[in-house]
Amino acid sequence: MRPKYVITGSIILAVIATVLHFWMEKRYQSTMLYKTQWIMQKKQQHYDYVTLGASHAYVGFDVGVADSMLQKKGINISLDGSLIGTQ
């Protein structure tokens, strides 16, 4: 195999990989399929408290009720199906 073909093929492969990388990253950031993506979309917002934890905090803590009782603004960023070690 000639070195010219190896170099040309490597360059083409690198360009394709770079284009796919940027396209997939843009696509991942524009969707809201997972809670982690939803959390990453939260910018320039202010909260008085944050609830963080595993699935028990995710399903067992109602931010709306706490907001009305405390007269504060909160957010629940707990992840369903996660363990304490993955937080």
Side-chain angles (χ1 to χ4, degrees), residues 39-47 73:
I39 292 169
M40 289 184 344
Q41 300 291 332
K42 296 288 184 184
K43 296 180 182 175
Q44 302 297 328
Q45 296 189 17
H46 302 283
Y47 298 99
K73 184 178 178 187

Side-chain angles (χ1 to χ4, degrees), residues 49 51 61-74:
Y49 67 92
T51 304
F61 187 80
D62 190 358
V63 175
V65 172
D67 286 352
S68 65
M69 290 174 64
L70 299 171
Q71 300 300 315
K72 305 255 184 202
K73 184 178 178 187

Side-chain angles (χ1 to χ4, degrees), residues 6-30:
V6 172
I7 293 171
T8 304
S10 298
I11 291 171
I12 291 171
L13 185 62
V15 168
I16 291 171
T18 304
V19 168
L20 282 175
H21 168 73
F22 285 114
W23 177 75
M24 291 177 78
E25 185 175 299
K26 181 84 170 166
R27 179 82 174 142
Y28 176 80
Q29 291 175 350
S30 68

Side-chain angles (χ1 to χ4, degrees), residues 1-6:
M1 187 178 281
R2 295 183 183 170
K4 178 172 72 171
Y5 295 127
V6 172

Side-chain angles (χ1 to χ4, degrees), residues 53-55 79 81-87:
S55 59
L79 296 174
S82 65
L83 301 172
I84 296 297
T86 60
Q87 294 300 316

